[in-house]
Amino acid sequence: MSFMKRFLSRLGFMALTVVAMSFLIFLLVEIMPGDVAQTVLGQAATEESVAALRETMKLNDPLMVRYGRWASGYIQGDLGESLYMRGVQINSIFWRRVGHSMLLALSALIFYVPLSIFLGVLAGVRAGKFSDSVISFLGLATMALPEFVSGILLITVFSVNLNLLPLTSVIPIGQTLWQNLEILVLPACSITFVMFGYVSRMQRSSMIGVMNSDYVRAAILKGMPKRYVIFRHALKNALLPTITIIGMNMGWLFGGLIVVETLFGFPGLGSLTMTAIKTRDIPLIEACVLFITIIFVFSTFITDMMYSFLNPKIRFKREDL
Amino acid sequence: MNTFYLQLKKSPLAIIGLSILLLWIFAALFGPSLVSYTYTEMDMHNQLVSPGEQGHLLGTDALGRDVFSRIIYGSRTILTVALLTSLLSSFAGIIIGFIAGYFGGLVDTFFLRIMDILMAIPPLVLSMVVLGILGNSTILSLTIIVSIAYTPATARVARGALLTCKNTEYVDAARIRGESNIFIMFVEILPNTIGPVIVEITARFAYSIMMIASLGFLGVGLQPPTPDWGMMVIENKSIIRSAPWTVVYPSLAIASLVIAISLFSDFLSKVMINEN
C-alpha cells in the first residue's frame, strides 16, 4: 500500500471513528438516570413547567432527530448551552480551558520526552549494568503509579516540606495562566512520572535491538567512535518505536490530565470534564468527552502517518515491487 | 515449574514484589479482624491525631477515624475489585480475541474495527463518564465498567497470542480429526498461549488497581463510607499541610501495591516469554 493510499484509508477510518464515538457519547448520556428537564428545574417544579421545558428544549423529538440537531450544531461550531450554568454558552468557557490543558500537556511533553529518551538510550546502551538496573527499576515503578499518587508525593516534598512550589494550581481572578507559569511545574512533573516509564522502557528495548544489529556492529568494528555510532546510526532507527509509543500514549496523557487537574485544581479541560459529570451537565459532558476523543483519534492518526513516513520500509513500499 | 523457582531465586526485585503483594493479600484477608478499629468508628476526642499517638498507629483523620484501619479495610475492596476486573476483562478479551483471530477474514475485521473504535476513548475517561452518569457505583458496576473499558486491549493481546499458534501442526491435526472449533480454540490453542495470557492478567491487575484508585480519587468509585484508598486521598487533600499523614499513607499504600505487582509481573513476562 502506497503512502497516499494508507493516508486516505486512515483518514477515512478516523472520520468514521469520530462519528461512531459521537453517537455513542450521545447515547451514553441518554441513558443517564433522571429527566433532564426535571434536573434543570429541581425537584420542586410542577409537572406543567417540566412538560413546558421539555417542549422548549425539544426533548420530545425522536432520538435520531435530536442527534442530528446536536451533531449539526457541532459541525457549525456551536457546542450548545450549559445546563448547570443556565444561559452560559459552552463555547465561551470551553476553549480557554482547552488552551490551559494544551499548555499543561505541552509542558509535560517538554519534561518527559527528552528525559525518557535520554535515560532510555543510556539504559539500552549499558544494558545489564548497574545504571540500567536503576533506570529500569525507576521506569517500572513510576509507570504503575496513578498520577495523583506521584502528585501527592511531589506536593508533600516540594510544597509542604520545602515550600518551593504552590500546593494548588489555581489562577487568581483577573490573571492569566501566563502570569502564573509556576503552577504548571508540579502537575507536569506528576504526568512525567507516569509517562517516563512507558517511553524510557520502549526506548531501552528498541535501543538494545538496534545495538545488536549487524550495521551497528559493523560501524563499531570498523572503529567509529561509539558516541557517533549511538547518536548517528543507532538512535535514528531506535527512535521509531518511541515516537509511536509517545503518540499512542496521548490518550493516557489526556486521561491523566483529568486526575492531575482534579488534584491540583488546575482550570483545564480535565477538571471541566469532572465538574460537568459531578453537576450532570449533559451538553458540557458531551462537549468535553467528544473533544478528548477527537484529540486522541487525531494524535493516533498523526502518529501512524509519522511512523509510515519515517519508516522507509513503508514509505518506499510499492505494490509492483 | 522448577525453572520458575530457580529464576525467582535469582531475581531479588521479583521476590520483594511478591512478598509485598502477599503481605497485602494477607492484610485484605485477615487484617480487618486484627485491627483495633473499624473503618467507620469515629474517635470524637481524637481527631487529627498524629501517627503513633493515642493508640493510632498512622493517626486519625478529620472525623477521628483510624487511618491504619481504613487502609487495611481498603486493601480488601481494592484487591477484590482489581482481581475481578483483571479476570473478567481477560476472560472477555480471550473470547473476543480468539473468535476474531481464529475465524479471520470479515469476522476479524469486524471485531478489530469495533475494538479500534472503543479504543478511541481512553479507558479512564470511558469508565469515569459511565460511572459518573450511572451514579452510586457498587463493586459490581465498577467491575463491569472497568472490565469493558479494558477488554479491547486484552482482546488484542489474546488475538496476537492465538495467531502465533494458529497455523501449527497440532491445530491442523485436530481439525482433520474433526474436532469442533470451540474445542480447538480452548483445548488445543489456549493451553499453548497460557504464558502471554498469565502475563496479561498480572499486568492488567496492576492497571486495574491504578484505575480503581484513580476512579475513587475522582469520586466516581465506591461510595463513602466504604474505605477506598483513592477516596481517602482526595477527602483529605485540603488538610495536607496540617495533617499530611491522612493523605500520604493511603498514597504510599497504593504505591507499594502497584509497584509490587509491576515488579512481579515484569519478572513473569521475562520468564514466560523466554520459556515459549
Side-chain angles (χ1 to χ4, degrees):
Chain A
M1 208 191 286
S2 70
F3 183 72
M4 205 55 208
K5 232 176 174 177
R6 194 182 164 88
F7 176 78
L8 288 177
S9 83
R10 286 281 140 186
L11 195 68
F13 182 67
M14 180 172 80
L16 184 75
T17 310
V18 170
V19 173
M21 276 320 292
S22 74
F23 190 64
L24 268 181
I25 291 165
F26 190 77
L27 266 186
L28 199 68
V29 178
E30 279 297 304
I31 58 162
M32 185 184 242
D35 184 84
V36 177
Q38 188 83 57
T39 316
V40 172
L41 294 173
Q43 291 304 319
T46 60
E47 239 168 75
E48 290 82 39
S49 58
V50 171
L53 187 66
R54 284 188 70 84
E55 203 51 54
T56 47
M57 289 174 78
K58 295 183 180 154
L59 289 174
N60 295 326
D61 290 349
L63 178 74
M64 286 315 287
V65 174
R66 276 180 292 133
Y67 172 70
R69 192 163 47 225
W70 177 71
S72 68
Y74 267 49
I75 292 168
Q76 292 160 25
D78 175 19
L79 302 185
E81 199 178 278
S82 162
L83 263 192
Y84 186 71
M85 302 166 271
R86 291 291 282 166
V88 173
Q89 287 295 319
I90 294 179
N91 266 328
S92 68
I93 46 172
F94 191 73
W95 299 106
R96 199 168 56 96
R97 293 294 197 105
V98 169
H100 289 168
S101 284
M102 291 284 178
L103 200 60
L104 176 53
L106 198 70
S107 353
L109 278 169
I110 293 173
F111 268 39
Y112 82 74
V113 171
L115 181 77
S116 331
I117 290 181
F118 177 72
L119 289 180
V121 168
L122 190 72
V125 173
R126 304 179 58 84
K129 302 212 173 94
F130 180 70
S131 48
D132 170 41
S133 316
V134 174
I135 295 170
S136 298
F137 172 74
L138 277 181
L140 196 64
T142 55
M143 190 168 82
L145 281 186
E147 292 84 353
F148 72 92
V149 173
S150 44
I152 285 290
L153 301 178
L154 288 170
I155 288 177
T156 312
V157 175
F158 293 100
S159 303
V160 177
N161 286 333
L162 298 176
N163 227 338
L164 281 177
L165 288 159
L167 192 75
T168 52
S169 298
V170 184
I171 302 174
I173 294 170
Q175 293 189 14
T176 62
L177 181 55
W178 293 103
Q179 292 164 291
N180 293 280
L181 283 177
E182 74 279 3
I183 64 172
L184 285 170
V185 178
L186 286 185
C189 288
S190 318
I191 296 172
T192 301
F193 257 72
V194 180
M195 291 299 162
F196 169 75
Y198 286 101
V199 180
S200 67
R201 280 166 69 84
M202 179 49 95
Q203 184 65 66
R204 174 184 180 271
S205 67
S206 77
M207 200 66 198
I208 291 175
V210 172
M211 288 307 279
N212 287 329
S213 67
D214 290 339
Y215 76 94
V216 168
R217 279 157 67 173
I220 293 173
L221 286 176
K222 80 179 176 194
M224 281 178 129
K226 202 164 179 199
R227 190 179 297 262
Y228 189 86
V229 176
I230 291 170
F231 288 104
R232 279 304 175 83
H233 292 216
L235 189 59
K236 231 173 161 182
N237 281 310
L239 270 180
L240 208 53
T242 313
I243 291 174
T244 316
I245 210 87
I246 292 171
M248 294 296 163
N249 275 314
M250 289 306 271
W252 276 106
L253 187 62
F254 269 82
L257 277 184
I258 297 180
V259 176
V260 170
E261 289 180 6
T262 307
L263 175 67
F264 288 93
F266 181 84
L269 180 63
S271 54
L272 187 68
T273 313
M274 210 50 233
T275 317
I277 290 175
K278 289 249 165 80
T279 55
R280 310 181 88 72
D281 193 338
I282 294 173
L284 194 55
I285 299 179
E286 288 166 341
C288 292
V289 178
L290 189 61
F291 188 79
I292 293 176
T293 311
I294 290 174
I295 292 272
F296 188 24
V297 174
F298 187 67
S299 59
T300 312
F301 170 74
I302 296 286
T303 312
D304 199 25
M305 285 304 106
M306 257 169 78
Y307 181 80
S308 329
F309 186 73
L310 293 175
N311 190 345
K313 279 187 202 155
I314 297 178
R315 200 180 354 151
F316 295 121
K317 201 166 147 196
R318 298 221 310 266
E319 267 125 310
D320 51 11
L321 285 177
Chain B
M1 218 49 203
N2 260 332
T3 54
F4 180 82
Y5 287 119
L6 286 176
Q7 299 261 25
L8 187 62
K9 260 193 203 164
K10 279 189 290 184
S11 37
L13 282 180
I15 296 177
I16 295 173
L18 187 61
S19 325
I20 297 175
L21 176 61
L22 289 176
L23 205 65
W24 276 121
I25 293 175
F26 177 81
L29 288 175
F30 307 107
S33 50
L34 298 177
V35 293
S36 14
Y37 302 88
T38 67
Y39 60 89
T40 47
E41 203 173 315
M42 298 182 210
D43 190 345
M44 277 307 176
H45 304 290
N46 289 312
Q47 288 154 344
L48 295 177
V49 167
S50 307
E53 288 174 19
Q54 313 285 349
H56 295 286
L57 190 59
L58 299 181
T60 59
D61 66 7
L63 296 172
R65 296 177 298 189
D66 185 58
V67 173
F68 180 69
S69 307
R70 284 179 65 78
I71 288 178
I72 296 294
Y73 274 97
S75 69
R76 186 175 268 191
T77 43
I78 199 163
L79 280 171
T80 313
V81 182
L83 186 67
L84 289 174
T85 307
S86 52
L87 290 178
L88 189 64
S89 64
S90 305
F91 182 70
I94 287 172
I95 292 187
I96 295 175
F98 270 29
I99 290 176
Y102 184 80
F103 292 105
L106 274 180
V107 181
D108 196 23
T109 314
F110 174 75
F111 278 112
L112 273 184
R113 285 292 166 259
I114 290 187
M115 292 298 146
D116 278 348
I117 288 175
L118 276 180
M119 276 177 145
I121 180 163
L124 179 68
V125 179
L126 180 65
S127 327
M128 185 191 88
V129 172
V130 178
L131 288 169
I133 285 173
L134 293 176
N136 293 328
S137 308
T138 58
I139 288 189
L140 185 71
S141 66
L142 200 58
T143 307
I144 292 176
I145 302 295
V146 178
S147 302
I148 292 175
Y150 274 152
T151 299
T154 53
R156 279 186 162 271
V157 174
R159 179 178 169 276
L162 174 127
L163 289 183
T164 56
C165 40
K166 187 183 160 190
N167 296 319
T168 48
E169 283 90 1
Y170 62 82
V171 172
D172 288 339
R175 206 170 278 146
I176 294 164
R177 263 197 335 260
E179 302 288 4
S180 70
N181 287 328
I182 293 180
F183 181 90
I184 298 176
M185 272 191 260
F186 294 102
V187 182
E188 297 284 345
I189 297 178
L190 184 61
N192 285 293
T193 58
I194 206 71
V197 166
I198 289 180
V199 171
E200 173 63 23
I201 293 177
T202 348
R204 202 47 63 189
F205 190 43
Y207 290 141
S208 303
I209 290 196
M210 183 176 175
M211 169 88 103
I212 289 151
S214 298
L215 290 170
F217 171 81
L218 291 171
V220 293
L222 297 171
Q223 298 302 301
T226 316
D228 181 295
W229 292 351
M231 193 165 53
M232 288 169 78
V233 172
I234 193 71
E235 269 176 356
N236 298 309
K237 200 246 153 174
S238 54
I239 51 169
I240 188 170
R241 230 181 253 283
S242 54
W245 59 89
T246 54
V247 185
V248 173
Y249 289 121
S251 301
L252 288 180
I254 299 170
S256 68
L257 183 56
V258 284
I259 291 175
I261 300 173
S262 303
L263 288 176
F264 186 60
S265 99
D266 186 56
F267 161 77
L268 272 187
S269 74
K270 278 180 194 149
V271 175
M272 297 283 182
I273 285 161
N274 285 347
E275 265 186 5
N276 293 330

